[in-house]
């Protein structure tokens, strides 16, 4: 079967085995004689036919974060319907083997499809409200510093006010 030439199922142009997409219409090429009627279409084949070739070039870049595996797969489905291929991976530091579907995920797309993916995801309210998509590192650092300052204040009050009153032998008045 590898020796058969490839054909575009849309415009019937023929190509050599080194091509993947039709240069005229952009459709994925199939082997000559494979009409799709005589062979069952697999889920992988069906997904590959939805991918637009102009969105499948370049290195993978992160476009959005998801709270768990199910949310990441929902985002992947939305992107695939627009022709943008995507990959899901676990966020660094959240590898919990006991809970395989739990933990945050990152959705990655090829660089050529990143802008289209971000535009699509900005149109959906679901992704815009995602905690990973809106939390910035500076905001997280601010909360961390505020927590440290609060703990330091409590410790200072505990050692100076309460400790000073006990050292003088005076009862605490509250």
């Amino acid at each position: 079967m590898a020796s058969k030439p490839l054909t575009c199922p849309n415009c019937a142009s023929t190509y050599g085995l080194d091509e993947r997409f039709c240069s005229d219409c952009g459709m994925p090429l199939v082997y000559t004689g494979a009409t799709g009627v005589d062979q069952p279409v697999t889920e992988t084949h069906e997904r590959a036919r939805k991918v637009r070739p102009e969105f499948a070039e370049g290195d993978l870049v992160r476009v959005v974060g998801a709270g768990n595996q199910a949310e990441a797969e929902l985002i992947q489905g939305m992107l695939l319907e627009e022709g943008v291929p995507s990959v899901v991976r676990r966020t660094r530091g959240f590898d919990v083997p006991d809970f395989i579907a739990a933990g945050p995920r990152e959705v990655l797309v090829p660089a050529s499809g990143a802008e289209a993916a971000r535009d699509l995801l900005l149109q959906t309210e679901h992704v815009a409200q995602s905690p990973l998509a809106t939390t910035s590192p500076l905001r997280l650092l601010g909360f961390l510093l505020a927590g440290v300052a609060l703990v330091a204040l409590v410790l200072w009050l505990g050692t100076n006010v309460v400790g000073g009153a006990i050292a003088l032998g005076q009862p605490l008045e509250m």
Side-chain angles (χ1 to χ4, degrees):
M1 186 169 193
S3 63
K4 293 183 180 179
L6 298 173
T7 305
C8 175
N10 191 32
C11 65
S13 300
T14 58
Y15 294 92
L17 293 175
D18 56 338
E19 298 292 326
R20 289 182 43 211
F21 297 100
C22 177
S23 60
D24 297 329
C25 61
M27 288 291 294
L29 301 175
V30 297
Y31 286 103
T32 302
T35 62
V37 176
D38 52 352
Q39 296 178 356
V41 176
T42 64
E43 182 181 341
T44 305
H45 184 253
E46 186 176 333
R47 288 178 61 91
R49 294 192 59 77
K50 291 182 180 182
V51 173
R52 292 176 51 190
E54 63 267 18
F55 293 149
E57 298 174 4
D59 294 334
L60 294 176
V61 294
R62 181 185 184 274
V63 290
V64 72
N68 54 43
Q69 181 71 28
E71 184 180 357
E73 289 175 358
L74 174 72
I75 294 168
Q76 259 191 315
M78 291 186 327
L79 292 173
L80 185 61
E81 289 302 316
E82 294 298 318
V84 180
S86 60
V87 176
V88 173
R89 73 173 178 198
R90 290 182 185 176
T91 305
R92 292 182 189 152
F94 289 95
D95 189 14
V96 183
D98 294 337
F99 304 103
I100 293 184
R105 302 289 196 269
E106 294 177 338
V107 180
L108 309 164
V109 300
S112 63
E115 186 175 334
R118 287 187 182 112
D119 290 343
L120 172 70
L121 295 173
L122 285 175
Q123 294 173 6
T124 62
E125 293 179 21
H126 177 71
V127 176
Q129 295 173 355
S130 172
L132 289 177
T134 59
T135 303
S136 72
L138 291 177
R139 187 174 184 179
L140 185 62
L141 180 64
F143 286 129
L144 183 63
L145 289 175
V148 169
L150 182 63
V151 168
L153 179 66
V154 169
L155 288 175
W156 180 81
L157 285 174
T159 57
N160 289 338
V161 175
V162 175
I166 291 174
L168 295 175
Q170 298 174 356
L172 280 176
E173 294 180 18
M174 291 193 187

